[in-house]
Amino acid sequence: MIDLNKHKLELEYPCNWKYKIVIIESINVKYISKDIFGERDHKVKESNVSKKGKFKSYNIELIVHSDDDREEIHRLLGEHKDIKMVL
């Protein structure tokens, strides 16, 4: 089996990058995207709803300019109080 932790992800920047977030159904995803991205161009698209309807997932797509930029966005999404999970 290949150990992916031993290999560094090699990307050419700038590039499109997608994040998937999971939030509680009652939270407005537009509030979250405005809070994190401000005026930065991005797309938000609903993905799935949990079986009991308590959670929703969304795909967020935007252009990232470097490893640091990509990782910082992931960190900001992960630390946001209304986001339960980031993939």
Side-chain angles (χ1 to χ4, degrees), residues 4-6 9 15-16 18 21 25 28 33-34 38 42 44 48 53-56 58-60 68 70 72-73 87:
L4 296 178
N5 292 322
K6 293 181 181 180
L9 182 62
C15 67
N16 273 348
K18 292 181 183 177
I21 62 169
E25 180 276 329
N28 185 339
S33 70
K34 182 76 170 173
H42 64 284
V44 178
N48 287 316
K54 185 175 180 181
F55 298 99
K56 282 188 176 180
Y58 292 87
N59 294 318
I60 299 173
D68 289 340
R70 180 177 53 82
E72 177 68 5
I73 293 168
L87 303 171

PDB file of all heavy atoms in Angstrom, residues 4-6 9 15-16 18 21 25 28 33-34 38 42 44 48 53-56 58-60 68 70 72-73 87:
ATOM      1  N   LEU A   4       0.468   7.857   1.616  1.00  0.00           N
ATOM      2  CA  LEU A   4       0.332   9.193   1.051  1.00  0.00           C
ATOM      3  C   LEU A   4       0.954  10.273   1.932  1.00  0.00           C
ATOM      4  O   LEU A   4       1.231  11.377   1.457  1.00  0.00           O
ATOM      5  CB  LEU A   4      -1.138   9.509   0.780  1.00  0.00           C
ATOM      6  CG  LEU A   4      -1.806   8.618  -0.275  1.00  0.00           C
ATOM      7  CD1 LEU A   4      -3.274   8.990  -0.412  1.00  0.00           C
ATOM      8  CD2 LEU A   4      -1.097   8.741  -1.608  1.00  0.00           C
ATOM      9  N   ASN A   5       1.177   9.996   3.205  1.00  0.00           N
ATOM     10  CA  ASN A   5       1.804  10.969   4.094  1.00  0.00           C
ATOM     11  C   ASN A   5       3.266  11.220   3.735  1.00  0.00           C
ATOM     12  O   ASN A   5       3.844  12.214   4.143  1.00  0.00           O
ATOM     13  CB  ASN A   5       1.688  10.524   5.549  1.00  0.00           C
ATOM     14  CG  ASN A   5       0.260  10.567   6.030  1.00  0.00           C
ATOM     15  OD1 ASN A   5      -0.483  11.466   5.677  1.00  0.00           O
ATOM     16  ND2 ASN A   5      -0.121   9.589   6.833  1.00  0.00           N
ATOM     17  N   LYS A   6       3.874  10.312   2.980  1.00  0.00           N
ATOM     18  CA  LYS A   6       5.273  10.462   2.583  1.00  0.00           C
ATOM     19  C   LYS A   6       5.424  11.251   1.289  1.00  0.00           C
ATOM     20  O   LYS A   6       6.530  11.543   0.869  1.00  0.00           O
ATOM     21  CB  LYS A   6       5.926   9.091   2.426  1.00  0.00           C
ATOM     22  CG  LYS A   6       6.054   8.339   3.734  1.00  0.00           C
ATOM     23  CD  LYS A   6       6.724   7.016   3.535  1.00  0.00           C
ATOM     24  CE  LYS A   6       6.836   6.264   4.851  1.00  0.00           C
ATOM     25  NZ  LYS A   6       7.489   4.965   4.676  1.00  0.00           N
ATOM     26  N   LEU A   9       1.919  16.941  -1.942  1.00  0.00           N
ATOM     27  CA  LEU A   9       1.009  17.302  -3.015  1.00  0.00           C
ATOM     28  C   LEU A   9       1.671  18.359  -3.887  1.00  0.00           C
ATOM     29  O   LEU A   9       2.131  19.388  -3.389  1.00  0.00           O
ATOM     30  CB  LEU A   9      -0.293  17.845  -2.421  1.00  0.00           C
ATOM     31  CG  LEU A   9      -1.390  18.240  -3.384  1.00  0.00           C
ATOM     32  CD1 LEU A   9      -1.850  17.027  -4.200  1.00  0.00           C
ATOM     33  CD2 LEU A   9      -2.564  18.825  -2.618  1.00  0.00           C
ATOM     34  N   CYS A  15      -4.692  27.752  -8.978  1.00  0.00           N
ATOM     35  CA  CYS A  15      -5.528  26.648  -9.454  1.00  0.00           C
ATOM     36  C   CYS A  15      -6.867  26.665  -8.731  1.00  0.00           C
ATOM     37  O   CYS A  15      -7.008  27.261  -7.666  1.00  0.00           O
ATOM     38  CB  CYS A  15      -4.835  25.311  -9.255  1.00  0.00           C
ATOM     39  SG  CYS A  15      -4.595  24.826  -7.539  1.00  0.00           S
ATOM     40  N   ASN A  16      -7.851  26.003  -9.322  1.00  0.00           N
ATOM     41  CA  ASN A  16      -9.151  25.836  -8.670  1.00  0.00           C
ATOM     42  C   ASN A  16      -9.014  24.823  -7.549  1.00  0.00           C
ATOM     43  O   ASN A  16      -8.324  23.814  -7.710  1.00  0.00           O
ATOM     44  CB  ASN A  16     -10.202  25.314  -9.663  1.00  0.00           C
ATOM     45  CG  ASN A  16     -10.880  26.417 -10.415  1.00  0.00           C
ATOM     46  OD1 ASN A  16     -10.764  27.581 -10.084  1.00  0.00           O
ATOM     47  ND2 ASN A  16     -11.597  26.044 -11.443  1.00  0.00           N
ATOM     48  N   LYS A  18     -11.464  22.876  -4.346  1.00  0.00           N
ATOM     49  CA  LYS A  18     -12.798  22.669  -3.778  1.00  0.00           C
ATOM     50  C   LYS A  18     -12.679  22.214  -2.327  1.00  0.00           C
ATOM     51  O   LYS A  18     -11.850  21.370  -1.998  1.00  0.00           O
ATOM     52  CB  LYS A  18     -13.570  21.608  -4.566  1.00  0.00           C
ATOM     53  CG  LYS A  18     -13.921  22.048  -5.954  1.00  0.00           C
ATOM     54  CD  LYS A  18     -14.698  20.963  -6.684  1.00  0.00           C
ATOM     55  CE  LYS A  18     -14.982  21.395  -8.106  1.00  0.00           C
ATOM     56  NZ  LYS A  18     -15.672  20.360  -8.865  1.00  0.00           N
ATOM     57  N   ILE A  21     -17.933  21.583   3.100  1.00  0.00           N
ATOM     58  CA  ILE A  21     -18.212  21.885   4.499  1.00  0.00           C
ATOM     59  C   ILE A  21     -19.542  21.256   4.902  1.00  0.00           C
ATOM     60  O   ILE A  21     -20.421  21.071   4.070  1.00  0.00           O
ATOM     61  CB  ILE A  21     -18.238  23.400   4.773  1.00  0.00           C
ATOM     62  CG1 ILE A  21     -19.343  24.107   3.976  1.00  0.00           C
ATOM     63  CG2 ILE A  21     -16.872  24.021   4.499  1.00  0.00           C
ATOM     64  CD1 ILE A  21     -19.597  25.550   4.387  1.00  0.00           C
ATOM     65  N   GLU A  25     -28.347  22.511   9.463  1.00  0.00           N
ATOM     66  CA  GLU A  25     -29.303  22.879   8.414  1.00  0.00           C
ATOM     67  C   GLU A  25     -29.834  24.296   8.555  1.00  0.00           C
ATOM     68  O   GLU A  25     -30.059  24.996   7.573  1.00  0.00           O
ATOM     69  CB  GLU A  25     -30.455  21.852   8.420  1.00  0.00           C
ATOM     70  CG  GLU A  25     -31.534  22.070   7.391  1.00  0.00           C
ATOM     71  CD  GLU A  25     -32.586  23.066   7.851  1.00  0.00           C
ATOM     72  OE1 GLU A  25     -32.849  23.144   9.053  1.00  0.00           O
ATOM     73  OE2 GLU A  25     -33.122  23.777   6.980  1.00  0.00           O
ATOM     74  N   ASN A  28     -27.319  29.802   7.720  1.00  0.00           N
ATOM     75  CA  ASN A  28     -27.286  30.355   6.368  1.00  0.00           C
ATOM     76  C   ASN A  28     -25.853  30.313   5.844  1.00  0.00           C
ATOM     77  O   ASN A  28     -24.974  31.005   6.351  1.00  0.00           O
ATOM     78  CB  ASN A  28     -27.810  31.793   6.377  1.00  0.00           C
ATOM     79  CG  ASN A  28     -27.925  32.378   4.999  1.00  0.00           C
ATOM     80  OD1 ASN A  28     -27.301  31.927   4.049  1.00  0.00           O
ATOM     81  ND2 ASN A  28     -28.733  33.413   4.881  1.00  0.00           N
ATOM     82  N   SER A  33     -19.958  32.155   4.132  1.00  0.00           N
ATOM     83  CA  SER A  33     -19.066  32.470   3.012  1.00  0.00           C
ATOM     84  C   SER A  33     -18.684  33.949   3.017  1.00  0.00           C
ATOM     85  O   SER A  33     -17.542  34.298   2.736  1.00  0.00           O
ATOM     86  CB  SER A  33     -19.670  32.041   1.676  1.00  0.00           C
ATOM     87  OG  SER A  33     -20.759  32.824   1.315  1.00  0.00           O
ATOM     88  N   LYS A  34     -19.604  34.821   3.378  1.00  0.00           N
ATOM     89  CA  LYS A  34     -19.300  36.259   3.463  1.00  0.00           C
ATOM     90  C   LYS A  34     -18.309  36.511   4.597  1.00  0.00           C
ATOM     91  O   LYS A  34     -17.375  37.307   4.466  1.00  0.00           O
ATOM     92  CB  LYS A  34     -20.597  37.046   3.680  1.00  0.00           C
ATOM     93  CG  LYS A  34     -20.428  38.520   3.747  1.00  0.00           C
ATOM     94  CD  LYS A  34     -20.208  39.109   2.382  1.00  0.00           C
ATOM     95  CE  LYS A  34     -20.285  40.613   2.445  1.00  0.00           C
ATOM     96  NZ  LYS A  34     -19.927  41.235   1.200  1.00  0.00           N
ATOM     97  N   GLY A  38     -15.359  37.250   2.289  1.00  0.00           N
ATOM     98  CA  GLY A  38     -15.601  38.656   1.998  1.00  0.00           C
ATOM     99  C   GLY A  38     -15.960  38.844   0.535  1.00  0.00           C
ATOM    100  O   GLY A  38     -16.889  38.228   0.035  1.00  0.00           O
ATOM    101  N   HIS A  42     -15.834  33.307  -5.250  1.00  0.00           N
ATOM    102  CA  HIS A  42     -15.983  31.889  -4.920  1.00  0.00           C
ATOM    103  C   HIS A  42     -17.392  31.434  -5.305  1.00  0.00           C
ATOM    104  O   HIS A  42     -18.285  32.254  -5.497  1.00  0.00           O
ATOM    105  CB  HIS A  42     -15.729  31.635  -3.433  1.00  0.00           C
ATOM    106  CG  HIS A  42     -16.722  32.294  -2.539  1.00  0.00           C
ATOM    107  ND1 HIS A  42     -16.699  33.658  -2.273  1.00  0.00           N
ATOM    108  CD2 HIS A  42     -17.775  31.801  -1.852  1.00  0.00           C
ATOM    109  CE1 HIS A  42     -17.695  33.950  -1.464  1.00  0.00           C
ATOM    110  NE2 HIS A  42     -18.376  32.841  -1.201  1.00  0.00           N
ATOM    111  N   VAL A  44     -20.523  28.662  -4.180  1.00  0.00           N
ATOM    112  CA  VAL A  44     -21.055  27.774  -3.147  1.00  0.00           C
ATOM    113  C   VAL A  44     -22.221  27.009  -3.759  1.00  0.00           C
ATOM    114  O   VAL A  44     -23.124  27.596  -4.336  1.00  0.00           O
ATOM    115  CB  VAL A  44     -21.545  28.557  -1.912  1.00  0.00           C
ATOM    116  CG1 VAL A  44     -22.136  27.614  -0.878  1.00  0.00           C
ATOM    117  CG2 VAL A  44     -20.419  29.382  -1.318  1.00  0.00           C
ATOM    118  N   ASN A  48     -25.364  17.853  -0.168  1.00  0.00           N
ATOM    119  CA  ASN A  48     -26.215  16.806   0.403  1.00  0.00           C
ATOM    120  C   ASN A  48     -26.915  17.291   1.663  1.00  0.00           C
ATOM    121  O   ASN A  48     -26.501  18.265   2.277  1.00  0.00           O
ATOM    122  CB  ASN A  48     -25.380  15.570   0.769  1.00  0.00           C
ATOM    123  CG  ASN A  48     -24.934  14.797  -0.437  1.00  0.00           C
ATOM    124  OD1 ASN A  48     -25.710  14.574  -1.356  1.00  0.00           O
ATOM    125  ND2 ASN A  48     -23.675  14.378  -0.447  1.00  0.00           N
ATOM    126  N   GLY A  53     -32.063  15.239   8.156  1.00  0.00           N
ATOM    127  CA  GLY A  53     -32.236  16.636   7.790  1.00  0.00           C
ATOM    128  C   GLY A  53     -31.589  17.642   8.720  1.00  0.00           C
ATOM    129  O   GLY A  53     -31.785  18.839   8.571  1.00  0.00           O
ATOM    130  N   LYS A  54     -30.781  17.180   9.660  1.00  0.00           N
ATOM    131  CA  LYS A  54     -30.168  18.086  10.627  1.00  0.00           C
ATOM    132  C   LYS A  54     -28.960  18.830  10.048  1.00  0.00           C
ATOM    133  O   LYS A  54     -28.682  19.959  10.428  1.00  0.00           O
ATOM    134  CB  LYS A  54     -29.744  17.311  11.873  1.00  0.00           C
ATOM    135  CG  LYS A  54     -29.202  18.189  12.968  1.00  0.00           C
ATOM    136  CD  LYS A  54     -28.904  17.410  14.228  1.00  0.00           C
ATOM    137  CE  LYS A  54     -28.356  18.341  15.294  1.00  0.00           C
ATOM    138  NZ  LYS A  54     -28.019  17.644  16.520  1.00  0.00           N
ATOM    139  N   PHE A  55     -28.249  18.200   9.107  1.00  0.00           N
ATOM    140  CA  PHE A  55     -27.039  18.779   8.543  1.00  0.00           C
ATOM    141  C   PHE A  55     -27.141  18.900   7.032  1.00  0.00           C
ATOM    142  O   PHE A  55     -27.813  18.099   6.382  1.00  0.00           O
ATOM    143  CB  PHE A  55     -25.813  17.910   8.882  1.00  0.00           C
ATOM    144  CG  PHE A  55     -25.548  17.796  10.339  1.00  0.00           C
ATOM    145  CD1 PHE A  55     -25.965  16.680  11.053  1.00  0.00           C
ATOM    146  CD2 PHE A  55     -24.884  18.799  11.027  1.00  0.00           C
ATOM    147  CE1 PHE A  55     -25.728  16.561  12.401  1.00  0.00           C
ATOM    148  CE2 PHE A  55     -24.646  18.696  12.386  1.00  0.00           C
ATOM    149  CZ  PHE A  55     -25.065  17.575  13.073  1.00  0.00           C
ATOM    150  N   LYS A  56     -26.433  19.907   6.497  1.00  0.00           N
ATOM    151  CA  LYS A  56     -26.308  20.078   5.053  1.00  0.00           C
ATOM    152  C   LYS A  56     -24.830  20.196   4.723  1.00  0.00           C
ATOM    153  O   LYS A  56     -24.051  20.726   5.512  1.00  0.00           O
ATOM    154  CB  LYS A  56     -27.003  21.363   4.580  1.00  0.00           C
ATOM    155  CG  LYS A  56     -28.493  21.266   4.467  1.00  0.00           C
ATOM    156  CD  LYS A  56     -29.042  22.523   3.820  1.00  0.00           C
ATOM    157  CE  LYS A  56     -30.542  22.394   3.602  1.00  0.00           C
ATOM    158  NZ  LYS A  56     -31.095  23.594   2.969  1.00  0.00           N
ATOM    159  N   TYR A  58     -22.043  21.528   1.684  1.00  0.00           N
ATOM    160  CA  TYR A  58     -21.896  22.438   0.547  1.00  0.00           C
ATOM    161  C   TYR A  58     -20.504  22.290  -0.035  1.00  0.00           C
ATOM    162  O   TYR A  58     -19.532  22.059   0.706  1.00  0.00           O
ATOM    163  CB  TYR A  58     -22.073  23.895   0.995  1.00  0.00           C
ATOM    164  CG  TYR A  58     -23.463  24.224   1.435  1.00  0.00           C
ATOM    165  CD1 TYR A  58     -23.863  24.022   2.747  1.00  0.00           C
ATOM    166  CD2 TYR A  58     -24.391  24.756   0.547  1.00  0.00           C
ATOM    167  CE1 TYR A  58     -25.145  24.329   3.165  1.00  0.00           C
ATOM    168  CE2 TYR A  58     -25.678  25.071   0.956  1.00  0.00           C
ATOM    169  CZ  TYR A  58     -26.043  24.856   2.262  1.00  0.00           C
ATOM    170  OH  TYR A  58     -27.317  25.156   2.663  1.00  0.00           O
ATOM    171  N   ASN A  59     -20.401  22.445  -1.350  1.00  0.00           N
ATOM    172  CA  ASN A  59     -19.116  22.511  -2.016  1.00  0.00           C
ATOM    173  C   ASN A  59     -18.775  23.979  -2.220  1.00  0.00           C
ATOM    174  O   ASN A  59     -19.615  24.752  -2.670  1.00  0.00           O
ATOM    175  CB  ASN A  59     -19.155  21.807  -3.373  1.00  0.00           C
ATOM    176  CG  ASN A  59     -19.371  20.319  -3.229  1.00  0.00           C
ATOM    177  OD1 ASN A  59     -18.780  19.689  -2.362  1.00  0.00           O
ATOM    178  ND2 ASN A  59     -20.220  19.766  -4.063  1.00  0.00           N
ATOM    179  N   ILE A  60     -17.560  24.330  -1.878  1.00  0.00           N
ATOM    180  CA  ILE A  60     -17.075  25.692  -2.086  1.00  0.00           C
ATOM    181  C   ILE A  60     -15.891  25.601  -3.035  1.00  0.00           C
ATOM    182  O   ILE A  60     -14.954  24.831  -2.794  1.00  0.00           O
ATOM    183  CB  ILE A  60     -16.634  26.342  -0.767  1.00  0.00           C
ATOM    184  CG1 ILE A  60     -17.814  26.423   0.194  1.00  0.00           C
ATOM    185  CG2 ILE A  60     -16.025  27.714  -1.019  1.00  0.00           C
ATOM    186  CD1 ILE A  60     -17.453  26.903   1.574  1.00  0.00           C
ATOM    187  N   ASP A  68       0.156  28.019   1.008  1.00  0.00           N
ATOM    188  CA  ASP A  68      -0.221  28.760   2.214  1.00  0.00           C
ATOM    189  C   ASP A  68      -1.658  29.276   2.123  1.00  0.00           C
ATOM    190  O   ASP A  68      -2.409  29.206   3.097  1.00  0.00           O
ATOM    191  CB  ASP A  68       0.732  29.936   2.452  1.00  0.00           C
ATOM    192  CG  ASP A  68       2.109  29.480   2.889  1.00  0.00           C
ATOM    193  OD1 ASP A  68       2.244  28.337   3.373  1.00  0.00           O
ATOM    194  OD2 ASP A  68       3.064  30.271   2.754  1.00  0.00           O
ATOM    195  N   ARG A  70      -4.146  28.016   0.290  1.00  0.00           N
ATOM    196  CA  ARG A  70      -5.038  26.854   0.361  1.00  0.00           C
ATOM    197  C   ARG A  70      -5.187  26.360   1.796  1.00  0.00           C
ATOM    198  O   ARG A  70      -6.295  26.103   2.278  1.00  0.00           O
ATOM    199  CB  ARG A  70      -4.484  25.749  -0.547  1.00  0.00           C
ATOM    200  CG  ARG A  70      -5.300  24.486  -0.583  1.00  0.00           C
ATOM    201  CD  ARG A  70      -4.709  23.484  -1.576  1.00  0.00           C
ATOM    202  NE  ARG A  70      -3.312  23.199  -1.369  1.00  0.00           N
ATOM    203  CZ  ARG A  70      -2.830  22.331  -0.472  1.00  0.00           C
ATOM    204  NH1 ARG A  70      -3.661  21.674   0.320  1.00  0.00           N
ATOM    205  NH2 ARG A  70      -1.539  22.130  -0.363  1.00  0.00           N
ATOM    206  N   GLU A  72      -4.551  28.071   4.583  1.00  0.00           N
ATOM    207  CA  GLU A  72      -5.160  29.110   5.420  1.00  0.00           C
ATOM    208  C   GLU A  72      -6.680  29.091   5.287  1.00  0.00           C
ATOM    209  O   GLU A  72      -7.407  29.228   6.284  1.00  0.00           O
ATOM    210  CB  GLU A  72      -4.593  30.489   5.049  1.00  0.00           C
ATOM    211  CG  GLU A  72      -5.222  31.638   5.809  1.00  0.00           C
ATOM    212  CD  GLU A  72      -4.910  31.672   7.298  1.00  0.00           C
ATOM    213  OE1 GLU A  72      -4.109  30.854   7.788  1.00  0.00           O
ATOM    214  OE2 GLU A  72      -5.489  32.523   7.993  1.00  0.00           O
ATOM    215  N   ILE A  73      -7.170  28.919   4.083  1.00  0.00           N
ATOM    216  CA  ILE A  73      -8.620  28.837   3.885  1.00  0.00           C
ATOM    217  C   ILE A  73      -9.175  27.624   4.622  1.00  0.00           C
ATOM    218  O   ILE A  73     -10.202  27.706   5.293  1.00  0.00           O
ATOM    219  CB  ILE A  73      -8.974  28.793   2.389  1.00  0.00           C
ATOM    220  CG1 ILE A  73      -8.617  30.128   1.735  1.00  0.00           C
ATOM    221  CG2 ILE A  73     -10.451  28.454   2.187  1.00  0.00           C
ATOM    222  CD1 ILE A  73      -8.641  30.108   0.234  1.00  0.00           C
ATOM    223  N   LEU A  87     -13.897  19.110   4.571  1.00  0.00           N
ATOM    224  CA  LEU A  87     -13.210  18.038   3.834  1.00  0.00           C
ATOM    225  C   LEU A  87     -12.469  18.640   2.664  1.00  0.00           C
ATOM    226  O   LEU A  87     -12.842  19.649   2.127  1.00  0.00           O
ATOM    227  CB  LEU A  87     -14.213  17.012   3.324  1.00  0.00           C
ATOM    228  CG  LEU A  87     -15.094  16.368   4.383  1.00  0.00           C
ATOM    229  CD1 LEU A  87     -16.172  15.537   3.725  1.00  0.00           C
ATOM    230  CD2 LEU A  87     -14.256  15.525   5.306  1.00  0.00           C
TER     231      LEU A  87
END
